[in-house]
Amino acid sequence: MTAMATAGDVGRASGRRERVAARLQQGGALVVVVVVTLVASLLFGGRFASVDNLLGILEASSFLGIVAVGMTFVIIGGGIDLSVGSLLALSAVLAAFGSQFGSVVAVALPLGVCGLIGLVNGLLIARARLAPFIVTLATLLFARGLAFAVSDEGNTIFRIDPDQAVIALGQGSIAGIRIPILLAGLAFVAGWVVLNRARYGTAVAAIGGNEEAARLMGLPIARVKAAMYVTSGLLAGLAGLLVAARSSSGQSTIGVGLELQAIAAVVIGGTLLTGGFGSIAGTLAGVLLLNVINNVINQVGTLSSYFQQVVSGVFLIVVVLVQRYLTREQRL
Amino acid sequence: MTTAAPAAVVLDVREVSKHFAGVLALDRVSMELRPGEVHALVGENGAGKSTLIKVLTGVHQPDEGEVRYGGEPVSFARPLDAQAAGIATIYQEVNLVPLLSVARNLLLGREPTNALGLIDQRRMNRIARETLAPYGIDVDVRRPLRQLGLGIQQMVAIARAIAADHRVVIMDEPTSSLEPREVERLMQVVDRLRRDGVAVVYVSHRLDEVFRLCDRVTVLRDGRRVHSGPVAEITRLELVSKMLGRDLADVARARTRFNEHSTDRAAEPVLRASDLTRRHVLDHVSVEIRAGEVIGLAGLLGSGRTETVKAIYGVLPLDSGAVEVGGGRVRAGSPRSAIAAGVALIPEDRKAEGIIPTLSVRDNIVLAALPRLSQAGFTSDRRQDAVVERLMSRLRIKASSPDQRVGELSGGNQQKVLLARMLCLDPRVLLLDDPTRGIDVGAKAEIQALISELADQGMGVLLISSELEEVVEGSDRVVVLRDGAVVGELRGDEATEDGVMALIAAAARETGQTELIDETAASPDGPDDGD
């Protein structure tokens, strides 16, 4: 008895450093965002640190952010979803195409199709036990192809009539804040609650952490996994719908490589790419960081926009290196 | 639980059979489990213990026979069904989610929720603390499980499994990764379960535990039940002989022994492994092999046979100990250095660790020798072919051509290909871990003859076999292991199956006590510092 008590005390003492490491891993990206924002404010003053510019960053972040929330769950659950970029484009095309039949169709059609493709992803991965990488790579091609087919190989760009109610989703605002920003915020809050406070969230982390153990504990593996991909598909669909509403049109060429940006944001946010552990707040920080970098490079003006990708790539490596160090510190 | 009469059978396995791809894993096995008893299930590798457990827990369904639970015939389709019916299983490997907190692991899938359907964390943590308290575990339940020692992880697994109202608890080698002090605690837990009227199935290779803890014992061998009865009515020696399938009365059987290889007793050993030690695994194991000598390593499963061989080869990290080959010290933990010194290993699991089935016989043979056969990174086909041809005829490998894929060969020929690969390297010492497992009788005899031949040519051989007979008959000396320590060495006429079994059984009694004294003195660090 006494021996055990000592063991517990020892654990608590050495746990402090581990907890600091855990905090850093979860909040590290946030710290970097704040630092980069402050430095940029000092360097560029009002050009960067204006309400308009900051809201612009938030709006630009909202589409990637919505997609990244779904991606966070998929990655924590031990999977990957490469189809989200294509789904976003398909959704935008379908939303614009559907708008000629009214706003209800413009919303229901893209969400329905994207949810369905997500379900197919989920069933193939959870039931047929195919590799997530392969399955979602296939739906990446499939959805992009479908988007091109619907839009006549991209030659037809469907316009959304400005009178349509669905336009408000992209261009309307409440209390001066654009609806996409609000919806993204909602997605992050809901994602945080589900991940940290709902049984489903724990189940996702358990499956990503040790699927065999989760199975033996009697968790409904297939259902949870399928739900992950359906959610990811739906969120990508929602993001596409918002993009279409924002630009009043549906283009089949948007969102190429978005899945990789989403993965980058998730990983920068401290989620383990191997699954089992992750943070929604971290993903938010990751998304913001990518967009702040983008914005700063635009402010500099003299740099080509491709330089943004160079910087993002460097950040990604640095963050993953730091993560590796921190996970070792935590004995994860 | 109080309603059931103490003698009533809670779990009744009746003549259960199970086939896997034509192989009979369980052959009409029966077992009765009564409330309040601890029932040991023992047997060597492949005896069918795991299959039986998996049938009981709904992972497998029996082909024939039936399982009756609480008097009713049952058929569990999934582990979850067995769990719901009140059969808890604690697996050998800790089956929890290391990245999640202790509390979440304990309550995964049944977390307390509030009015909104969200997890009530404060309540969850409290329940977790209360669940762990009887086990004497006082840790911050919010910490990730991974940060705790293996012993505590195991206790969490047990606490999780037994938290619900269970009537049967199956423990599959629960002590294999525990410190002695933690074993003590586990024993107390099992005792408490017994008092509460729970039936416990206790799978273990440690005879000490079986005799100390269990009321009855069932022995499986080759998928059949060979014994079932009270522990008090069987001796250690009888139990060991039943596990290994060697009848005590059957001693006087005529045997054909290999001629003792001509070894110079006084000669310096070609390989000397001294004091190989790794916590929980090996305890000061020393082995010497002379040129031209076949040394057998005997012991029950889990006694450290395979681990010794792996330690010599440098793939099992050691806490201390040294390996010398030809007088020169081999760098610890480096298979490359072992190979360079002339040590070759044929691993236990040739599918997972040895052959590459999609490559040809030729490629498989020259794989390890490529650096020697090549110049400036290019390999000479002619030299390769010469080597491959020589070895194929020497080992009598039956393949349509050197280009046939190894995956298409029989088990015996695959093993010979592995042997050929090692011989390419001109080793001085050959480590063979169960080289005849899963090979038909004819090929077996051939491989045994080859081993003898190689020793005659001056190679030192260390041989492990799951068949005691093979070790005893094929070796010049037999080193007997138990619980990771050498408990004796038999040479010449002493090296009989009975001699080995007597050593294993006798050792069980002696070390049972010394172990406790040693360990309590030697490990002052808490289980928390498991690494």
Side-chain angles (χ1 to χ4, degrees), chain B residues 58 85 87 103 151 165 178 186 191 246 289 352 394 433 438 502 504 527:
Chain B
I87 299 179
D165 195 15
L178 297 192
L186 180 87
D191 262 335
R246 297 277 160 246
I289 308 169
R394 180 172 167 204
D433 194 351
I504 294 173

Side-chain angles (χ1 to χ4, degrees), chain A residues 249-266:
Chain A
S249 68
Q251 296 183 43
S252 52
T253 50
I254 57 171
V256 174
L258 184 84
E259 60 281 349
L260 300 181
Q261 280 186 51
I263 293 168
V266 170

